[in-house]
Amino acid sequence: MIRWHALAWPSDSFQSNVKYQTKYFKQRLDHFSPADDRKFQQRYLISQKYWKKGSPIFFYTGNEGDITWFAKNTGFMWDIAPEFNAMLIFVEHRYYGKTLPFGKDSFKDKEHLAYLSSEQALADFAQFIVDFKAETHGTQNSSVIAFGGSYGGMLTAWLRIKYPNIVDGAIAASAPIWQLEGLTPCDRFSSIVTNTFKLAYPECPKNIRNSWKVIRKLGSTKSGRHTLSTTLKLCNPLKSPSDVDALVNWLSSIWVNLAEVDYPYPANFLEPLPAKPVKAVCASLQKPLANDTLLIRGIAKGLNVYFNHTGNSKCFNTDQDATSHLGIAGWNFQSCTEMVLPVCMDGVHDMFEPTPFNLTAMAAICKEQYGVRTRPFWAQTLYGGKRIKAASNIVFSNGNLDPWSGGGVLKSLSKSLVAIVIEGGAHHLDLRHANKDDPATVKHARKIEKMHIAKWIKEASNE
Amino acid sequence: MIRWHALAWPSDSFQSNVKYQTKYFKQRLDHFSPADDRKFQQRYLISQKYWKKGSPIFFYTGNEGDITWFAKNTGFMWDIAPEFNAMLIFVEHRYYGKTLPFGKDSFKDKEHLAYLSSEQALADFAQFIVDFKAETHGTQNSSVIAFGGSYGGMLTAWLRIKYPNIVDGAIAASAPIWQLEGLTPCDRFSSIVTNTFKLAYPECPKNIRNSWKVIRKLGSTKSGRHTLSTTLKLCNPLKSPSDVDALVNWLSSIWVNLAEVDYPYPANFLEPLPAKPVKAVCASLQKPLANDTLLIRGIAKGLNVYFNHTGNSKCFNTDQDATSHLGIAGWNFQSCTEMVLPVCMDGVHDMFEPTPFNLTAMAAICKEQYGVRTRPFWAQTLYGGKRIKAASNIVFSNGNLDPWSGGGVLKSLSKSLVAIVIEGGAHHLDLRHANKDDPATVKHARKIEKMHIAKWIKEASNE
């Protein structure tokens, strides 16, 4: 069983227009308890460079990580701020980055983790906006447009759904709000990864699918593990079958992450990546590789592209995770409580080792780890699940290469609940800075998004 | 300063079609904490007498009191259930009636009261409906229509606003959602009471306005207090000036309550009331009464109508409150935390003693009483305040005689946010059983409400 700990997010190259002030806001710890009045310091980033009095606020709903990372990697907001005279605000999600309600004790036990939930985070955003507008001259009549990608995109959509009085519209990029338990078949995710690899080279996913048996076969003997370790240039040689399990998980994560960041131009991930990395990785796997040795060598060559684009890596570390900028401690807890996003593999419709999703087993692990009961359906009660037609003013964008698009809103639900599918797009490509190598599809998506933003601002000013 | 503890609600005469089963639901104590898994027993009443498989559920969102009271006094639901083949469910609000999460300790201190809030109550309703539908054969595709009056009407509107995935539409009767701090002038309430009395007899509010000075003058001396006590037939003679304060408060409450229950036919309140009780009470105050003695005698005669319609009362008890069926302990706490509904009097535009609303003073009392900080604006952040146009499928009904109508939605906000003003209507007259003495206005209101209910059910079935 694989539980995806956090959604991956690649780093954009540095852009000179991303300049902000860092500030802190005194936030309520528990919005929903009338008896608990404690506060904590919530970090936010702000840029008023393009802003004029009364003009809109573009508000990023921070996700599961350091907010500076998201500010730097949501170039779209910076790119379009000038033409809307928009103020930019990025608020960090509680329990991530520097926004730790109990400092280093924040993840100590369930008593300290009790205030980590998406609904508390949304209430943070709502309360922040209300207080910020009350205190900031010239913002009283400013419309507020929410932006977010990935889990942040889910929050952005939900912020508009639950607090339409606070935000006038929402750009929810690659927001898998329907990845929640029971709303989307769990194998959709892995079949999209597989398809993204197939689009690069049809033979590539076949080779990857075949690789698992070879890895398991070699992994079952000492000499085989030696062969794997040297061929794959692992920093820590495989010593036991459980090390082989770890290797399989690590490789699976890499293939998934690659599909997420399959951008048309070079980008930073854990390490710098070439343009169209799936194609680059699959180059050594584009032909049938029936021979075990050739197959593992092909995988090794692929890994070299992924981890060694700059040629600096001497070996690969299976402990190394591609999501080091994300707050694993917080997300582990969230995915154990209300953010249950089931992903499974069957090895037939996808290129992975068969890995069922077992909610009961997952809940047992969560119970043991945190002493909490998993609530897989609460988020649907709270945010509407598939029944969200009563909401309005949300653009849901998804790239067809992105595995998370399987749990996204891919068809418009009404005139003001608009779906955009970006052909050739990976994980929230549209939220990134404009790039000369952008496909026409993402340019078009951004155009539609801007059109809706302008419409929402106009409607809000007429109210 | 007057803080209205609870909204009054008169008893309907017994109707034979009000028959239900009493059941209990295992409810989550804290919906918003991932770490707290405690449960409590929530009472609900159910009638499947008129229900057919797949037909709608009419769902009453219990307010601040014993749910059996509301079931018996919401005759409209019972009256129209047969033509919709509707199931009837009335869920009791946590911390009221028999739904006490910690039994007799529920009001012990702020730690026990920490789970009493409107948002927990709404989550109770949402979770109840989801679980009930999952467990009850034939309800999976049933649409759900919410009903509520007074604070229950606020909850009903907010349930649709926050959980449109759970309820398809809402009949919010006499729901003062805009009585919240800062949304409506605090003197609106008392000026409506005054106007209701003026409609009975123009001179009546003038006499009442004049009465306060007389009461204060007499109340300042021992012999005067004796005169007041005997003329007003008080069970406990006035002994001190503070007793006179209590008398003024008691009388003010009576005038307010009378405006709320100014129904066109006899109804039960604390004691049985005649039809059009304001007119009956004002009969002895319809002429200018310049003489102090005559004025107090006029008031006494009015009280006699109010409290002694059946002729059984020998004396009047100023400790006696007309809202004994309501949960004062719970409502005191709610009005100290998020349910701040300001009411004030100026003695000029209304017939009361001047009584400003002082939020700071109120908050200080709340701090002392419960150790909590009053949050007068949180409910607006959460439920939208005046910015609720993004919502849909709510009928807001108000009677022009009802003081709470001042904080109600009196003009339609959109095609699906419909306001109905019932001329000659008191507090949620429309939710009561049909009566031969109903004015045409309330008959028309119920017709419009039924039309919208039918439309919502149809829309839901097309989804």
Side-chain angles (χ1 to χ4, degrees):
Chain A
M1 182 193 64
I2 291 181
R3 177 153 53 93
W4 293 108
H5 294 287
L7 315 183
W9 195 300
S11 175
D12 212 340
S13 52
F14 176 74
Q15 299 277 339
S16 59
N17 65 346
V18 176
K19 281 184 187 156
Y20 49 75
Q21 281 186 284
T22 303
K23 295 193 175 183
Y24 285 84
F25 173 76
K26 208 173 158 191
Q27 184 62 270
R28 189 179 180 93
L29 179 65
D30 190 347
H31 295 278
F32 307 110
S33 170
D36 185 348
D37 218 43
R38 285 175 291 173
K39 301 285 194 301
F40 68 95
Q41 293 293 323
Q42 182 164 37
R43 182 165 64 156
Y44 69 100
L45 315 177
I46 183 167
S47 166
Q48 304 201 8
K49 187 178 172 187
Y50 308 110
W51 188 65
K52 288 182 184 162
K53 228 174 86 173
S55 289
I57 295 169
F58 286 179
F59 186 91
Y60 189 89
T61 55
N63 12 349
E64 74 287 21
D66 186 314
I67 191 63
T68 62
W69 183 271
F70 301 111
K72 286 173 189 157
N73 286 284
T74 311
F76 179 56
M77 286 172 69
W78 298 91
D79 287 348
I80 68 170
E83 64 189 282
F84 288 99
N85 299 317
M87 188 189 299
L88 294 162
I89 299 178
F90 301 79
V91 175
E92 192 161 66
H93 192 299
R94 53 169 64 198
Y95 289 84
Y96 294 98
K98 292 207 189 307
T99 302
L100 303 175
F102 302 103
K104 60 180 168 41
D105 289 337
S106 298
F107 306 102
K108 200 176 173 184
D109 50 34
K110 76 169 180 175
E111 281 69 33
H112 288 82
L113 282 160
Y115 313 95
L116 170 54
S117 70
S118 60
E119 60 262 47
Q120 294 279 12
L122 293 178
D124 286 344
F125 298 144
Q127 191 64 60
F128 177 94
I129 294 168
V130 167
D131 287 359
F132 181 84
K133 289 180 94 168
E135 288 159 16
T136 310
H137 181 65
T139 61
Q140 280 70 20
N141 297 318
S142 292
S143 51
V144 180
I145 308 299
F147 293 77
S150 203
Y151 169 56
M154 297 162 79
L155 293 174
T156 274
W158 293 335
L159 186 61
R160 171 65 193 172
I161 289 173
K162 298 304 266 190
Y163 298 89
N165 49 314
I166 309 280
V167 296
D168 299 291
I171 302 292
S174 299
I177 59 167
W178 290 345
Q179 191 73 31
L180 293 166
E181 172 70 11
L183 298 181
T184 296
C186 64
D187 61 356
R188 187 78 58 83
F189 183 92
S190 41
S191 69
I192 295 171
V193 178
T194 305
N195 193 56
T196 297
F197 278 68
K198 196 174 161 188
L199 287 170
Y201 293 104
E203 204 64 29
C204 185
K206 291 182 193 166
N207 283 320
I208 291 174
R209 187 186 290 117
N210 291 336
S211 73
W212 308 115
K213 271 186 203 157
V214 178
I215 290 169
R216 291 298 184 183
K217 194 171 71 182
L218 290 170
S220 67
T221 66
K222 202 179 168 186
S223 66
R225 289 196 289 273
H226 179 74
T227 305
L228 277 175
S229 302
T230 52
T231 314
L232 296 175
K233 292 189 200 167
L234 302 182
C235 301
N236 303 309
L238 304 166
K239 286 177 187 161
S240 67
S242 78
D243 285 349
V244 180
D245 289 343
L247 173 67
V248 168
N249 283 342
W250 179 73
L251 278 172
S252 300
S253 299
I254 289 171
W255 308 140
V256 166
N257 290 338
L258 275 168
E260 285 195 38
V261 299
D262 195 26
Y263 295 123
Y265 45 81
N268 273 320
F269 196 34
L270 186 67
E271 306 260 342
L273 278 178
K276 295 189 182 291
V278 171
K279 190 135 198 159
V281 163
C282 279
S284 59
L285 296 161
Q286 63 180 286
K287 287 175 192 162
L289 298 169
N291 177 300
D292 290 2
T293 311
L294 290 176
L295 185 53
I296 297 302
R297 278 190 199 155
I299 299 281
K301 275 191 192 171
L303 288 181
N304 206 47
V305 169
Y306 179 64
F307 274 110
N308 207 11
H309 181 48
T310 53
N312 293 331
S313 295
K314 297 251 185 296
C315 64
F316 304 131
N317 190 344
T318 55
D319 292 339
Q320 209 165 21
D321 188 287
T323 53
S324 59
H325 55 287
L326 295 172
I328 296 302
W331 188 252
N332 269 350
F333 183 77
Q334 286 195 262
S335 63
C336 259
T337 50
E338 55 172 7
M339 285 300 113
V340 180
L341 309 177
V343 165
C344 63
M345 287 80 176
D346 65 7
V348 178
H349 303 91
D350 57 62
M351 66 189 191
F352 296 92
E353 264 200 340
T355 315
F357 176 77
N358 185 334
L359 183 60
T360 314
M362 195 202 92
I365 292 169
C366 293
K367 182 83 187 164
E368 202 189 320
Q369 192 179 356
Y370 298 108
V372 298
R373 190 189 299 263
T374 299
R375 288 203 286 167
F377 299 106
W378 169 240
Q380 296 172 50
T381 298
L382 196 55
Y383 305 126
K386 292 247 171 175
R387 298 198 71 204
I388 56 169
K389 274 191 191 172
S392 60
N393 292 12
I394 306 173
V395 170
F396 295 98
S397 64
N398 282 284
N400 73 320
L401 304 179
D402 176 18
W404 293 110
S405 68
V409 179
L410 302 177
K411 282 183 187 167
S412 296
L413 300 171
S414 71
K415 274 190 182 173
S416 74
L417 291 178
V418 176
I420 302 174
V421 176
I422 304 165
E423 283 292 319
H427 204 40
H428 45 70
L429 174 60
D430 49 333
L431 280 196
R432 299 170 65 77
H433 276 297
N435 187 294
K436 67 177 174 50
D437 294 324
D438 276 332
T441 50
V442 76
K443 289 180 189 170
H444 183 65
R446 290 189 186 123
K447 203 173 150 186
I448 297 173
E449 285 163 5
K450 284 204 294 178
M451 194 189 77
H452 283 281
I453 292 168
K455 188 166 155 271
W456 299 331
I457 292 169
K458 198 179 166 198
E459 281 169 8
S461 72
N462 289 341
E463 253 184 29
Chain B
M1 182 192 63
I2 292 181
R3 177 152 55 93
W4 293 108
H5 294 288
L7 317 183
W9 193 302
S11 176
D12 212 341
S13 52
F14 177 73
Q15 298 279 339
S16 60
N17 64 347
V18 177
K19 280 184 188 158
Y20 49 76
Q21 281 186 285
T22 302
K23 294 193 175 183
Y24 285 83
F25 174 75
K26 207 174 159 189
Q27 185 61 270
R28 188 179 181 95
L29 178 66
D30 189 348
H31 294 279
F32 306 111
S33 170
D36 184 347
D37 218 43
R38 284 175 291 171
K39 300 284 195 301
F40 68 95
Q41 292 293 322
Q42 183 163 38
R43 181 165 63 156
Y44 69 99
L45 316 176
I46 183 167
S47 166
Q48 304 201 5
K49 186 177 172 188
Y50 309 111
W51 188 65
K52 287 183 185 163
K53 226 173 89 173
S55 290
I57 295 168
F58 286 179
F59 185 91
Y60 189 89
T61 54
N63 11 349
E64 74 287 20
D66 186 314
I67 191 62
T68 62
W69 184 271
F70 302 111
K72 287 172 189 158
N73 286 285
T74 311
F76 179 55
M77 287 172 69
W78 298 91
D79 286 350
I80 68 171
E83 63 191 281
F84 289 100
N85 299 317
M87 187 190 297
L88 295 162
I89 300 178
F90 300 79
V91 176
E92 192 161 68
H93 193 298
R94 54 168 64 197
Y95 289 84
Y96 295 99
K98 291 205 188 311
T99 302
L100 303 175
F102 302 103
K104 61 179 168 41
D105 289 336
S106 297
F107 307 102
K108 199 177 173 185
D109 50 36
K110 75 169 181 175
E111 282 68 35
H112 288 82
L113 282 159
Y115 312 94
L116 170 54
S117 70
S118 60
E119 59 262 46
Q120 294 280 11
L122 293 178
D124 286 345
F125 299 144
Q127 190 64 59
F128 177 93
I129 294 168
V130 167
D131 288 359
F132 181 84
K133 289 180 96 168
E135 286 159 18
T136 311
H137 180 66
T139 61
Q140 280 71 19
N141 297 316
S142 292
S143 50
V144 180
I145 308 298
F147 294 75
S150 202
Y151 169 57
M154 297 162 81
L155 293 173
T156 274
W158 292 337
L159 187 61
R160 171 63 193 173
I161 288 173
K162 298 303 265 190
Y163 298 89
N165 49 314
I166 308 281
V167 297
D168 299 290
I171 301 291
S174 300
I177 60 168
W178 290 345
Q179 190 74 31
L180 292 166
E181 172 68 13
L183 298 181
T184 295
C186 64
D187 61 357
R188 188 77 60 83
F189 183 92
S190 42
S191 69
I192 296 171
V193 178
T194 305
N195 193 57
T196 298
F197 278 67
K198 196 174 163 188
L199 287 171
Y201 293 104
E203 204 64 30
C204 184
K206 291 182 193 167
N207 283 320
I208 291 175
R209 187 187 289 117
N210 291 336
S211 74
W212 308 117
K213 270 185 202 158
V214 177
I215 291 170
R216 291 297 183 185
K217 192 171 72 181
L218 290 170
S220 67
T221 66
K222 202 177 167 186
S223 66
R225 288 196 289 274
H226 179 74
T227 305
L228 278 175
S229 302
T230 50
T231 314
L232 295 174
K233 291 188 198 167
L234 302 182
C235 301
N236 303 308
L238 304 167
K239 286 176 187 162
S240 66
S242 78
D243 285 351
V244 179
D245 289 343
L247 172 66
V248 168
N249 284 342
W250 179 73
L251 278 172
S252 301
S253 299
I254 289 172
W255 308 141
V256 166
N257 290 339
L258 275 168
E260 286 194 39
V261 300
D262 195 26
Y263 296 121
Y265 45 81
N268 273 320
F269 196 33
L270 187 68
E271 305 260 341
L273 278 179
K276 296 187 181 291
V278 171
K279 189 135 198 161
V281 164
C282 281
S284 58
L285 296 162
Q286 62 181 285
K287 287 175 191 160
L289 298 168
N291 179 300
D292 290 2
T293 312
L294 290 177
L295 184 53
I296 297 301
R297 277 191 198 154
I299 299 281
K301 275 190 190 170
L303 288 180
N304 206 48
V305 169
Y306 179 63
F307 275 110
N308 207 12
H309 182 49
T310 53
N312 293 329
S313 296
K314 297 252 185 295
C315 63
F316 304 130
N317 191 341
T318 56
D319 293 339
Q320 208 164 20
D321 188 286
T323 53
S324 59
H325 55 287
L326 295 172
I328 295 304
W331 188 254
N332 269 349
F333 182 76
Q334 287 195 260
S335 64
C336 259
T337 51
E338 55 172 10
M339 285 300 113
V340 180
L341 309 177
V343 165
C344 63
M345 286 81 175
D346 65 8
V348 178
H349 303 91
D350 57 61
M351 64 190 193
F352 297 91
E353 264 199 340
T355 316
F357 177 76
N358 184 332
L359 183 60
T360 314
M362 195 202 93
I365 292 169
C366 293
K367 182 82 186 166
E368 201 189 318
Q369 192 178 359
Y370 298 109
V372 298
R373 190 189 299 262
T374 299
R375 288 203 286 168
F377 299 106
W378 169 239
Q380 296 173 50
T381 298
L382 195 56
Y383 304 126
K386 291 246 169 174
R387 298 198 70 204
I388 56 168
K389 273 190 190 172
S392 60
N393 293 12
I394 306 173
V395 169
F396 295 97
S397 65
N398 281 283
N400 72 321
L401 303 180
D402 177 17
W404 292 111
S405 67
V409 179
L410 303 177
K411 281 182 186 168
S412 295
L413 301 170
S414 71
K415 274 190 181 173
S416 73
L417 291 178
V418 176
I420 303 173
V421 176
I422 304 165
E423 283 292 318
H427 204 41
H428 45 69
L429 174 60
D430 49 333
L431 280 196
R432 299 169 65 77
H433 276 299
N435 187 294
K436 67 177 175 49
D437 292 323
D438 277 331
T441 51
V442 76
K443 288 180 190 168
H444 183 64
R446 291 190 185 122
K447 203 172 150 187
I448 296 173
E449 286 164 4
K450 283 204 295 177
M451 195 189 75
H452 283 281
I453 292 168
K455 188 166 154 271
W456 300 332
I457 292 169
K458 199 180 166 199
E459 281 169 8
S461 72
N462 288 341
E463 254 185 29

